[in-house]
Amino acid sequence: MVRAENKGKISLVSIDNPPVNALNADVRQGLVKAVQAAAADPNVQAIVIASSGKTFTAGADIAEFGKLARPPSLPELIAALEKSPKPIVAAINGVALGGGLELALACHSRVASPDAKLGLPEVKLGLIPGSGGTQRLPRLIGAAAALQIMSSGEPVDAKAALSLGIVDAVAEGNLVETAMAQALNLARNGSWPLVSESTDRSTSEAREAFEVAAVEISRRAAEMPNVATLVELVRATFEMSFEEGLALEREQFLRLIADDRSKALRYVFFSERETARVPGLSRDTLPRPINRAAVIGAGTMGSGIAMCFANADIPVTVVETSGAALSRGMERIEGTYDVSVKRGTITSEEKERRIALIRGQVGLEAVGDADVVVEAVFEDMGVKKAIFSELDRFSRQGAILATNTSYLDINEIASATARPEDVVGLHFFSPANVMRLLEVVRTDKTAPDVVATALSLGRRLGKVPVVVGVCFGFVGNRMLARRTTAAERLLVDGALPHEVDAAVTQFGFRMGPFAMADLAGLDIGWRTRRSLGTKAAVADALCEAGRFGQKAGRGYYTYKEGDRTAHRDPEVEHLIEEVSYSLAVKRRTFTADEIIERLMYPMVNEGARILDERIAARTSDIDVIWLNGYNWPAWRGGPMYWADRVGLRRIAARLEVLSEESGDDSLEPARLLQRLASEERTFADLARERV
Ligand code: T1G
């Protein structure tokens, strides 16, 4: 875990705790022992702490949180480093994150490799830096800059760290040798600075700059109570001694680590990584090489998917049936990149570079050199099967044939080819170049290495890939359909669109279901219902009145030209009342809690069915899908995590009542939900059983 070797007058202490050098108890103990041994060794004049792996350290071991931590604690280790009688230099390669950067801040100098990234991401876990970061970083680089870094949770690169003053040097040559030279310099000087004692950053100008930054950051993070705590702790660097500030930080950290929001965010952190473990797929299954892609269809989804490849430096051919359709697609891509350039997220040079990776061609023969082909055409089984049978002819052997269908049976699509083992679903979420979720739909015949390729390609595209099984709507959309039906029923039973949307945004979603429907367009759902022969009285009535949502200037709400603000419309509310009357429903009012119950319980119920049918391998996969594909509020963990906290007995009982009241059998508690509820178990218990 920690090795120390004397190199001349230097003790080189190396952390070796793969995969990310998390500072678990063994590492903490090893570091304290190594520093104590160096201090006692007369031949040692200075110490360098380095990593033997690809990264310095990813910080505290998150898996230890909530458990009894073995001594020394991270603060105790960090205090021991700062008080060392011999100078210590941190040699930072890869990342220094969280407690890893806090450890480096307690060292007497910091040297980084050019590729290093340094940050304090604790806010993303609902926490604050808990080992001196809130007190040392402001003293090192100034309170305003420190607050920006800690409240964003985003790392800075070595160059920025140098200009900010987080590191003293960036090693162009050998990192450890540069650090050792720095350590010997400090030893020769006979004195070295302690960050905690620095006071030259607490000027009145610095205070003013901090207060300005604090107002903006507090406004932006209004729904993150841990950021408010962070602001108070950084303010304390102007008003308290280092020791007082450290004590306050510790008290607040221990409070937050016990907070439900942080527990949910830590659950999310591990759940997103758990998705890489696919039952029946060995983790050393080799993916197929992907050097070139093709996307069939240059519509909204196809063009977004093509951008995903270009953004990941994978050359991609966009295939359409006509020059006109292709031009529209290429223009859409160019326009989307232009918006990113205007926003400053990419430079115009980067835009040109990415566009150069996208080639447009008419005709399926253009897919011949692609290692993966993603079909993203009209949601029609006949059209898709025709394309897949053609792909057999035009795609090279070994190419992966993927469909972006959002609910069709991919077993049937695969049956149109002679190579069903190469067929997989890659279900992107709109806008494909933005949404992180990728449902990897495994058919009965998808080969293991095709699944492995889809997972590694998904991560390469910056997605969170989750393997799911074939069923109507797979996981996300199958559960969403339940919420959509429930939302429609709420309108008929007495609620109004703005009341439902308000309850859902208050719950933590960015948008409510009706504002979302107006944004996506009501005609899409209308077309699907008509193809399936199903009805949604209010939504159908709106579409029959030409109210297709924002694109038509009116849907559930009305919109002014060029303005996305949703305005209540009495015409819609009258239409809804008419529908209730025509269905002989006596309208009533609903509280926000009742609205949430009516919307989310049926979703959880469908999630239970999905688990029972093994369409999803584990409950956390369902949560990851909703967090990354539908903006479920991360601090609530996901629908199944949330359901465990509501209580499955309560959910089952309420579903019984809702089913009886509505006469809708689909609201009957699912078999698995009923069983867990009666045995007083949770979805988390089930997940532990299924490991
Ligand atoms: N603790 C425990 N396990 C960790 C970990 C951590 N800090 N970081 C990563 N892992 C595991 C992860 O679960 C996965 O496990 C494997 O390492 C590879 O991770 C006191 C309180 C470092 C940029 O928030 O950002 O310090 O699934 O798939 O894509 O103030 O991991 O393989 O079994 O993400 O190369 C603050 C979190 C902690 C950093 C590498 N630190 N980690 O990314 O690999 S709190 C963080 C990351 C703290 C102090 C506070 C990334 C990474 P498995 P990976 P990657």
Side-chain angles (χ1 to χ4, degrees):
M1 286 289 182
V2 172
R3 275 196 322 277
E5 53 180 318
N6 283 8
K7 294 260 186 184
K9 297 184 170 46
I10 303 278
S11 170
L12 176 58
V13 179
S14 300
I15 305 172
D16 181 15
N17 180 27
V20 295
N21 279 352
L23 299 171
N24 65 12
D26 292 339
V27 171
R28 299 194 300 270
Q29 282 165 10
L31 284 170
V32 166
K33 284 198 185 109
V35 167
Q36 285 168 344
D41 183 339
N43 298 319
V44 169
Q45 291 183 5
I47 300 160
V48 167
I49 296 179
S51 143
S52 59
K54 66 180 170 93
T55 207
F56 183 62
T57 161
D61 185 339
I62 306 172
E64 283 185 349
F65 290 171
K67 297 173 188 155
L68 200 61
R70 283 186 288 138
S73 70
L74 195 48
E76 286 164 343
L77 161 63
I78 284 175
L81 297 180
E82 188 166 64
K83 292 194 184 82
S84 161
K86 297 178 181 175
I88 303 177
V89 176
I92 300 167
N93 68 319
V95 296
L97 295 176
L101 177 53
E102 290 173 297
L103 178 151
L105 292 176
C107 293
H108 309 109
S109 178
R110 286 152 295 283
V111 178
S113 60
D115 69 340
K117 290 197 183 312
L118 303 88
L120 292 171
E122 289 87 340
V123 289
K124 294 183 178 177
L125 297 171
L127 300 170
I128 49 152
S131 296
T134 67
Q135 304 304 302
R136 283 195 177 86
L137 193 61
R139 287 179 168 81
L140 185 63
I141 68 171
L147 182 60
Q148 289 291 357
I149 288 176
M150 291 189 278
S151 60
S152 75
E154 293 303 320
V156 296
D157 63 21
K159 195 163 155 237
L162 181 64
S163 65
L164 282 165
I166 299 175
V167 299
D168 304 301
V170 175
E172 293 312 329
N174 180 291
L175 171 65
V176 170
E177 284 169 12
T178 308
M180 287 168 66
Q182 177 78 343
L184 283 177
N185 280 341
L186 292 178
R188 269 198 286 280
N189 294 348
S191 71
W192 42 86
L194 298 188
V195 173
S196 57
E197 292 173 356
S198 163
T199 55
D200 59 6
R201 289 284 192 171
S202 55
T203 61
S204 54
E205 294 77 13
R207 176 66 185 263
E208 204 177 301
F210 160 76
E211 294 299 348
V212 168
V215 167
E216 172 52 23
I217 285 164
S218 304
R219 184 191 61 75
R220 254 198 343 248
E223 79 286 356
M224 292 173 72
N226 55 319
V227 173
T229 302
L230 176 66
V231 169
E232 288 315 309
L233 284 162
V234 176
R235 183 172 285 121
T237 61
F238 291 104
E239 299 168 348
M240 294 181 184
S241 70
F242 176 77
E243 288 68 24
E244 288 166 334
L246 207 58
L248 182 62
E249 176 195 86
R250 192 73 191 152
E251 173 200 306
Q252 293 302 318
F253 175 74
L254 293 175
R255 174 180 65 79
L256 286 169
I257 212 161
D259 178 83
D260 286 345
R261 284 172 177 252
S262 179
K263 288 176 184 170
L265 291 166
R266 291 169 353 227
Y267 163 79
V268 169
F269 174 86
F270 286 114
S271 299
E272 288 187 346
R273 286 151 179 85
E274 188 69 14
T275 59
R277 290 182 179 78
V278 179
L281 180 72
S282 151
R283 286 198 84 172
D284 46 29
T285 304
L286 271 183
R288 296 181 191 175
I290 301 290
N291 299 307
R292 175 163 206 97
V295 176
I296 303 173
T300 307
M301 288 308 289
S303 51
I305 295 167
M307 289 176 70
C308 290
F309 285 109
N311 295 346
D313 289 334
I314 300 171
V316 56
T317 303
V318 180
V319 179
E320 258 294 356
T321 49
S322 72
L326 188 58
S327 310
R328 280 196 301 276
M330 301 303 274
E331 281 156 22
R332 182 185 287 110
I333 290 170
E334 174 120 26
T336 307
Y337 277 131
D338 283 339
V339 170
S340 300
V341 171
K342 272 199 203 91
R343 284 190 185 144
T345 40
I346 57 170
T347 63
S348 49
E349 293 73 23
E350 180 57 16
K351 167 201 156 186
E352 295 311 324
R353 195 184 67 77
R354 292 183 190 183
I355 283 184
L357 288 168
I358 304 174
R359 182 181 74 192
Q361 280 197 260
V362 173
L364 275 178
E365 59 283 353
V367 305
D369 61 353
D371 305 310
V372 59
V373 183
V374 183
E375 167 273 310
V377 301
F378 193 61
E379 280 293 83
D380 175 283
M381 183 58 84
V383 171
K384 291 184 187 295
K385 287 176 77 172
I387 285 175
F388 272 77
S389 60
E390 289 282 275
L391 285 180
D392 246 350
R393 288 171 49 209
F394 293 118
S395 291
R396 66 167 191 70
Q397 279 313 309
I400 288 177
L401 310 181
T403 171
N404 172 57
T405 182
S406 49
Y407 58 83
L408 295 176
D409 180 342
I410 302 177
N411 284 312
E412 187 177 343
I413 293 173
S415 70
T417 76
R419 38 177 151 166
E421 66 284 354
D422 291 342
V423 177
V424 69
L426 290 181
H427 180 211
F428 291 81
F429 284 71
S430 182
N433 55 308
V434 174
M435 295 304 281
R436 293 178 70 215
L437 178 61
L438 179 68
E439 281 183 326
V440 174
V441 190
R442 175 167 58 174
T443 72
D444 300 342
K445 294 183 179 164
T446 304
D449 69 332
V450 172
V451 177
T453 310
L455 284 168
S456 68
L457 176 62
R459 278 191 289 276
R460 196 170 154 196
L461 297 179
K463 303 296 180 187
V464 178
V466 185
V467 176
V468 299
V470 174
C471 67
F472 189 87
F474 314 130
V475 172
N477 283 349
R478 178 169 159 181
M479 290 170 69
L480 177 66
R482 293 297 180 189
R483 189 184 80 175
T484 304
T485 303
E488 164 83 14
R489 180 173 288 132
L490 269 166
L491 295 185
V492 173
D493 288 354
L496 291 173
H498 70 281
E499 293 168 339
V500 174
D501 283 353
V504 171
T505 49
Q506 194 185 334
F507 182 82
F509 282 84
R510 274 190 225 134
M511 286 177 94
F514 297 116
M516 182 60 87
D518 274 358
L519 178 66
L522 275 60
D523 47 332
I524 301 166
W526 193 32
R527 236 193 339 262
T528 308
R529 288 193 298 277
R530 287 193 302 181
S531 70
L532 298 171
T534 55
K535 289 241 173 276
V538 174
D540 292 347
L542 289 171
C543 290
E544 278 143 27
R547 301 183 69 107
F548 295 120
Q550 285 194 23
K551 59 186 163 189
R554 57 203 195 111
Y556 286 96
Y557 302 97
T558 49
Y559 303 85
K560 294 195 174 70
E561 183 67 32
D563 181 351
R564 292 189 155 198
T565 310
H567 299 277
R568 282 179 63 180
D569 183 341
E571 190 186 308
V572 169
E573 297 176 10
H574 177 65
L575 178 151
I576 292 170
E577 284 152 9
E578 286 291 299
V579 168
S580 304
Y581 179 74
S582 70
L583 296 172
V585 170
K586 189 172 175 335
R587 293 177 64 79
R588 73 174 183 83
T589 56
F590 289 89
T591 65
D593 287 347
E594 285 175 311
I595 289 171
I596 292 300
E597 278 191 356
R598 296 267 299 247
L599 293 176
M600 308 303 177
Y601 290 4
M603 273 178 45
V604 167
N605 205 29
E606 200 58 34
R609 293 191 184 102
I610 285 166
L611 282 171
D612 213 3
E613 296 163 24
R614 304 274 172 158
I615 296 293
R618 56 180 77 84
T619 46
S620 57
D621 283 4
I622 295 176
D623 287 334
V624 169
I625 283 168
W626 270 81
L627 289 159
N628 290 283
Y630 303 85
N631 289 319
W632 180 281
W635 56 270
R636 287 189 187 269
M640 311 308 270
Y641 181 92
W642 170 77
D644 277 347
R645 277 139 197 83
V646 169
L648 301 190
R649 283 171 74 90
R650 169 178 174 70
I651 293 175
R654 289 294 298 143
L655 283 167
E656 287 279 6
V657 170
L658 289 173
S659 177
E660 276 154 35
E661 282 174 355
S662 62
D664 179 350
D665 296 346
S666 75
L667 292 177
E668 275 291 319
R671 186 178 59 165
L672 175 63
L673 176 66
Q674 198 69 286
R675 178 158 63 80
L676 292 174
S678 60
E679 294 163 2
E680 301 210 343
R681 290 193 302 141
T682 61
F683 287 121
D685 294 331
L686 181 72
R688 278 187 282 275
E689 280 166 22
R690 282 190 179 180
V691 163

